[in-house]
Amino acid sequence: MRSGLVKRLAGSFRLRLIMWNALGVAVVGLATTSALRFLVSAALLADLDAVLKQDAQEILLDMQAKYPEQAPAFFGDMERKAQAHELLGWYGRLIDPQGRQIWANPHAPPQSPWTPNEVGMRIADKNGYRVVQFSFPYADQGQLTTVRIGSSLGPMERAMSRFDRVAFLISLAVLSVSPAIGYWLGNSMIRPLTDLTRRADELQPHRLATPLPLRGVGDELDQLSLTINRLLERLARYVNERQDYLSNAAHELRTPLAALRSAIEVTLDRDRSAAEYQEVLVRLMEECESLESLIRQLLLLAESESPRHPVARATLDWCAVARTAAAMFEAAAEVKGVRLETDIAPRLLVKANASHLRQVVNNLLDNAVKYTPAGGRVCLSLRPIAAPAGPSDPRGGIAREVQDMTAHDSHGSGWGELTVQDTGIGIDGPDVPRVFERFFRADRARQKESGPGGSGLGLSICQAIVLAHGGTIELHSRLGEGTTVAVRLPLSVS
């Protein structure tokens, strides 16, 4: 149990934040104190050197005036100067060219070995003193008399010792309160994250659209909340789409199954002739074919949108696919009295799944011919274009993510645009934005012209396939004037 508590504490972000805060305060405090100590020591030493150099200049001027002719008077000046600076441990010493002491203050430290006959001024630490040495030439002999003056380092060391004690006490106080400050800071920083975690944990699949709270300060936690809220919004839309999809699919599957069951129950109600049984079996076969077609469309839709099982693609001629589809629908258009026109480029290569691409062209031509009355016109065009202005994805969110995960590399040699334009009955304005929704049928007026509508999956399948191939699909329509559908796909270089 103790080991589990240790693990929890070791894994606590709050505890780690407190420890890192205390460690950071300790490191910064130690570095600051060390740097400040060095600067104070250097400043004190520089001040001491400046005082000693000034004393050396005064002594040099005094020597030039009195030494050696008035040596006793000069030595008296040196003694008085030593007495005036007794608290600083000041002393003076004269050394002849042979290194023998000529004169020194009574309290001067023992003479330390140092090259006496050097021109210029030297500064060094000797026996706990800061010492300045310079040379003065004899006027008649040209020989050098060395003068040393020094001041004890004891006062500076005592000042630094006091500084160290004060710095230690301050550091100890800072280190003592840093855990409490770290705990307060940790709670202040962790509390919004804890609230965010708690609210996220309370989310339920049926309440994904409930946004996480924003504190309104615009910091990283607010940005995280905004990002999660956008993700929740997309997930909520995705879940709702899937629920609608399952509900609509169940409804669409229930209708042919109910028809099958009803036909079988009526047939079994009494004995019937062989011709009647045959008629019932034909109707059952038709319903089975309708059910099979719906299931194929559902599977195709799921296959087109699945990012985990990408469909095999190969480089193929999109123009050849379009010509084949136009030839296949030419007879149906002629029977209905619709003129089918084509404007197809010689060759446009795309990297796509052949059966899926045929499904897109066939669905669009089938809708155009079906909803165009006799005497109307359907035009199939396929031409290269510049890059489209921007992808249009009515489903948004998750659908766009599916497209991004499944789309192939579109950095080929441009784009191709397939356009299917008809002069049919068109779609009512409010229904246009919903035409890509699964199982949506905008055929209240269209059924009167063309009989029963389809399953409502044709355009949804087209959109899923086009998006999975990294392309775009758009539909424009006006009631009574016709419909235009444009599909754009990136072209392949080979």
Side-chain angles (χ1 to χ4, degrees):
M1 185 171 181
R2 181 177 298 175
S3 62
L5 178 61
V6 172
K7 288 182 179 179
R8 286 197 300 273
L9 289 176
S12 171
F13 180 71
R14 180 185 286 105
L15 180 60
R16 292 202 303 271
L17 186 62
I18 294 173
M19 294 176 61
W20 279 110
N21 177 75
L23 180 61
V25 170
V27 172
V28 172
L30 180 61
T32 303
T33 303
S34 300
L36 188 59
R37 190 185 191 283
F38 173 78
L39 294 175
V40 171
S41 177
L44 292 177
L45 192 60
D47 289 342
L48 182 58
D49 288 346
V51 171
L52 289 176
K53 289 178 181 179
Q54 185 178 2
D55 291 344
Q57 292 293 333
E58 293 177 359
I59 292 171
L60 180 59
L61 294 175
D62 197 20
M63 286 186 72
Q64 290 175 348
K66 298 178 180 180
Y67 191 82
E69 291 82 5
Q70 303 177 31
F74 172 71
F75 295 151
D77 292 342
M78 294 283 286
E79 186 61 38
R80 284 189 293 272
K81 195 172 189 63
Q83 291 175 358
H85 295 82
E86 184 177 1
L87 293 178
L88 298 178
W90 193 95
Y91 79 94
R93 172 178 281 117
L94 267 69
I95 303 172
D96 65 14
Q98 288 72 36
R100 296 186 297 268
Q101 177 176 299
I102 299 174
W103 176 90
N105 293 114
H107 62 272
Q111 181 177 342
S112 58
W114 205 359
T115 304
N117 296 326
E118 285 190 358
V119 178
M121 187 177 294
R122 298 179 60 193
I123 301 177
D125 292 343
K126 297 289 184 179
N127 299 327
Y129 284 79
R130 188 68 171 173
V131 180
V132 173
Q133 172 179 295
F134 63 95
S135 298
F136 177 77
Y138 282 104
D140 55 347
Q141 301 179 8
Q143 295 180 335
L144 298 177
T145 297
T146 301
V147 180
R148 292 181 187 172
I149 61 173
S151 182
S152 174
L153 294 173
M156 190 180 75
E157 292 175 351
R158 288 190 292 272
M160 293 306 302
S161 178
R162 289 193 297 271
F163 174 85
D164 291 341
R165 288 195 296 270
V166 172
F168 174 76
L169 293 176
I170 293 176
S171 300
L172 187 63
V174 171
L175 290 177
S176 299
V177 301
S178 63
I181 296 175
Y183 182 79
W184 177 77
L185 288 175
N187 280 339
S188 300
M189 297 176 62
I190 295 299
R191 188 179 299 110
L193 189 58
T194 302
D195 295 341
L196 186 64
T197 303
R198 178 179 55 81
R199 291 292 298 271
D201 189 57
E202 293 174 354
L203 292 173
Q204 299 295 329
H206 60 281
R207 293 194 312 170
L208 290 177
T210 303
L212 297 177
L214 300 178
R215 296 182 300 147
V217 297
D219 60 1
E220 287 79 0
L221 289 178
D222 271 358
Q223 294 298 321
L224 177 61
S225 297
L226 285 173
T227 302
I228 294 177
N229 285 340
R230 286 193 291 265
L231 175 61
L232 291 175
E233 183 180 353
R234 293 194 297 268
L235 287 174
R237 188 185 304 118
Y238 178 76
V239 170
N240 291 335
E241 287 178 358
R242 291 306 175 191
Q243 289 177 343
D244 293 341
Y245 175 68
L246 292 175
S247 176
N248 292 332
H251 176 76
E252 294 293 333
L253 290 172
R254 183 176 60 183
T255 300
L257 288 174
L260 290 173
R261 181 183 180 87
S262 176
I264 294 173
E265 289 178 348
V266 171
T267 302
L268 295 177
D269 184 55
R270 59 182 177 82
D271 292 337
R272 298 180 181 273
S273 64
E276 291 175 324
Y277 281 121
Q278 185 175 7
E279 182 183 355
V280 171
L281 291 175
V282 169
R283 291 204 305 270
L284 294 178
M285 179 64 70
E286 292 175 352
E287 292 295 337
C288 288
E289 290 177 354
S290 175
L291 185 59
E292 183 181 4
S293 174
L294 178 60
I295 293 175
R296 280 199 305 268
Q297 288 180 323
L298 292 174
L299 291 175
L300 179 59
L301 185 61
E303 178 183 311
S304 301
E305 290 189 336
S306 175
R308 293 173 296 179
H309 305 289
V311 179
R313 299 187 178 99
T315 302
L316 53 89
D317 186 3
W318 193 8
C319 297
V321 174
R323 292 190 193 95
T324 302
M328 183 174 62
F329 280 91
E330 188 173 6
E334 184 179 353
V335 169
K336 195 173 180 183
V338 174
R339 187 170 75 258
L340 179 59
E341 300 176 354
T342 60
D343 180 19
I344 302 175
R347 180 179 173 86
L348 291 177
L349 298 180
V350 293
K351 191 173 183 180
N353 180 274
S355 62
H356 288 186
L357 195 58
R358 284 195 298 270
Q359 184 77 30
V360 171
V361 181
N362 291 345
N363 282 357
L364 297 181
L365 284 176
D366 181 55
N367 285 343
V369 173
K370 181 188 300 183
Y371 296 112
T372 300
R377 178 177 58 89
V378 173
C379 181
L380 172 65
S381 172
L382 178 54
R383 288 290 173 181
I385 62 167
S392 175
D393 185 0
R395 294 175 298 166
I398 296 298
R400 171 58 51 196
E401 294 180 5
V402 171
Q403 176 193 359
D404 293 340
M405 289 186 288
T406 58
H408 67 283
D409 183 11
S410 61
H411 298 288
S413 57
W415 291 73
E417 181 181 60
L418 180 140
T419 303
V420 178
Q421 183 178 16
D422 64 60
T423 59
I425 59 177
I427 303 173
D428 196 11
D431 290 334
V432 172
R434 302 187 58 192
V435 293
F436 292 105
E437 294 180 9
R438 300 172 183 87
F439 300 105
F440 177 76
R441 299 186 182 91
D443 51 8
R444 290 183 294 273
R446 294 156 75 90
Q447 289 185 15
K448 297 178 182 178
E449 296 286 343
S450 306
S455 63
L457 291 174
L459 289 177
S460 297
I461 292 174
C462 291
Q463 184 193 53
I465 292 174
V466 171
L467 292 180
H469 284 75
T472 66
I473 181 170
E474 295 179 355
L475 183 144
H476 303 280
S477 182
R478 296 187 66 176
L479 192 62
E481 296 183 9
T483 301
T484 300
V485 182
V487 174
R488 304 179 185 93
L489 292 179
L491 301 179
S492 177
V493 293
S494 60

